[in-house]
Amino acid sequence: MKAVRVHGYQEDPKLDDIPEPTLQGPLDVIIKVGGAGVCRTDLHIINGDWADIQNPDLPYVIGHENAGWVHSVGEAVTNVAVGDTVILHPQPSCGLCLYCRAGRDMQCTGDAFFPGLSNNDGGMAEYLRTTARACVKLDPNTNPADVAALADAGITAYHAVRKAVPHLYPGTTAVVQGAGGLGHIGIQALAALTATKIIVVDKNPAALELAKQIGADETVVADGNHVAAVQELTGGGATVVFDFVAEQGAELDAWQMTAPAGYQFMLGYGGEFKAPTLDFVAGEKNVIGNIVGTYNDLAELMVLAQAGKVTLHTKQYPLDSALDALHDLDAGKVRGRAILVP
């Protein structure tokens, strides 16, 4: 099969011919990939940023936002069958550890793996091996390419919004910093789940125009005066700031845009957060990290998606144009999410 593989860090991946994956355990599922999202994390992987954390053997297949059709199943699989349309939670987990039993998939201490990040081939290929625990069954009429990026970008944004819901009652304000691939999903999730006033900050006028169409009440251009503009719109700071950028100083802008006793949810990464401890104490501010989301988050998000309340704005590329997709993403040319279609 054709697959996009990283052979060395800080160099372009290659499109290789490799053997199709095979079933390795009774709960394994082989998916015929119908869509694979292209994520900024893939750029970080190619750059080597995840090498010390996940330490995969090179070359390996990237791609952690995947949807498609069940191609084959292990002997113990009962929740899906060959031919089913599915979207995949990005980290198949053990289901037995205390974290899994509490529904905290991403903190699994058992035999979890992360196709496309860990030492396991991902979904920028024609076929992918996952497990029954990762499969969320979809309406058979769903086009996997239309929803694939919800598997990571979607649940990452939804997970943070879901955690913030108790704080976002009527009369509150929420800022979304960065209205790109994750941010535009976060805006829709906020509109679907809360009654908060939604303010969106982005450098790109086209991204802000899209934000207005999908739920933003106010938009602010990130032109150097955006912190003051948000403080004016919110009367001193937002109840919750969702930082989908968190690099090049944006993480500190988000801190300044957060109201006393407010919450800064950090979803992007690459920067460095520093603040005086007195600001924490005197302001009673909260900074909260977020990593992907749970299986239940993905199942809930798909209910919203199939009801038309959350839609992905995508640009599709054939698998053999994967480098074009990665380069376009790196250059900021993709509005919404790039999707590879084998």
Side-chain angles (χ1 to χ4, degrees), residues 176-200:
V176 173
Q177 181 168 244
L182 277 75
H184 89 284
I185 300 167
I187 294 164
Q188 295 174 81
L190 281 166
L193 297 183
T194 77
T196 195
K197 180 179 180 180
I198 303 169
I199 301 168
V200 179

Side-chain angles (χ1 to χ4, degrees), residues 156-157 159-168 175 177 239-246 254 258 262-268 286-290:
T156 299
H159 180 61
V161 171
R162 191 76 164 79
K163 288 196 292 186
V165 164
H167 311 300
L168 294 175
V175 167
Q177 181 168 244
T239 312
V240 178
V241 176
F242 298 93
D243 185 4
F244 291 96
V245 183
T258 304
Y263 301 82
Q264 178 180 345
F265 282 77
M266 203 171 291
L267 296 100
N286 305 272
V287 178
I288 301 171
N290 297 269

Side-chain angles (χ1 to χ4, degrees), residues 280-292:
F280 279 93
V281 175
E284 287 195 324
K285 292 185 182 182
N286 305 272
V287 178
I288 301 171
N290 297 269
I291 179 69
V292 194

Side-chain angles (χ1 to χ4, degrees), residues 80-226:
V80 292
V82 172
D84 284 347
T85 306
V86 293
I87 188 169
L88 307 179
H89 188 278
Q91 180 177 277
S93 50
C94 76
L96 299 174
C97 69
L98 291 178
Y99 289 107
C100 281
R101 292 183 182 276
R104 294 169 57 184
D105 310 68
M106 294 307 300
Q107 284 79 47
C108 174
T109 56
D111 57 355
F113 62 101
F114 206 127
L117 264 83
S118 61
N119 197 29
N120 306 87
D121 284 340
M124 290 189 189
E126 295 178 81
Y127 295 90
L128 164 71
R129 182 182 74 88
T130 184
T131 75
R133 280 187 56 79
C135 296
V136 176
K137 194 172 174 180
L138 302 177
D139 184 304
N141 295 318
T142 303
N143 179 359
D146 291 340
V147 299
L150 293 178
D152 178 34
I155 57 170
T156 299
Y158 181 83
H159 180 61
V161 171
R162 191 76 164 79
K163 288 196 292 186
V165 164
H167 311 300
L168 294 175
Y169 44 84
T172 60
T173 53
V175 167
V176 173
Q177 181 168 244
L182 277 75
H184 89 284
I185 300 167
I187 294 164
Q188 295 174 81
L190 281 166
L193 297 183
T194 77
T196 195
K197 180 179 180 180
I198 303 169
I199 301 168
V200 179
V201 179
D202 199 287
K203 292 181 179 179
N204 192 303
L208 294 178
E209 186 57 40
L210 173 60
K212 291 177 184 176
Q213 297 170 18
I214 59 177
D217 297 298
E218 301 276 358
T219 59
V220 174
V221 179
D223 59 2
N225 299 311
H226 50 285

Side-chain angles (χ1 to χ4, degrees), residues 229-297:
V230 167
Q231 288 174 339
E232 183 175 350
L233 284 170
T234 58
T239 312
V240 178
V241 176
F242 298 93
D243 185 4
F244 291 96
V245 183
E247 61 180 351
Q248 299 178 13
E251 63 276 20
L252 304 182
D253 291 345
W255 174 254
Q256 296 299 322
M257 290 187 282
T258 304
Y263 301 82
Q264 178 180 345
F265 282 77
M266 203 171 291
L267 296 100
Y269 61 92
E272 181 178 349
F273 181 85
K274 292 180 69 175
T277 50
L278 180 58
D279 283 2
F280 279 93
V281 175
E284 287 195 324
K285 292 185 182 182
N286 305 272
V287 178
I288 301 171
N290 297 269
I291 179 69
V292 194
T294 69
Y295 179 94
N296 285 354
D297 286 332

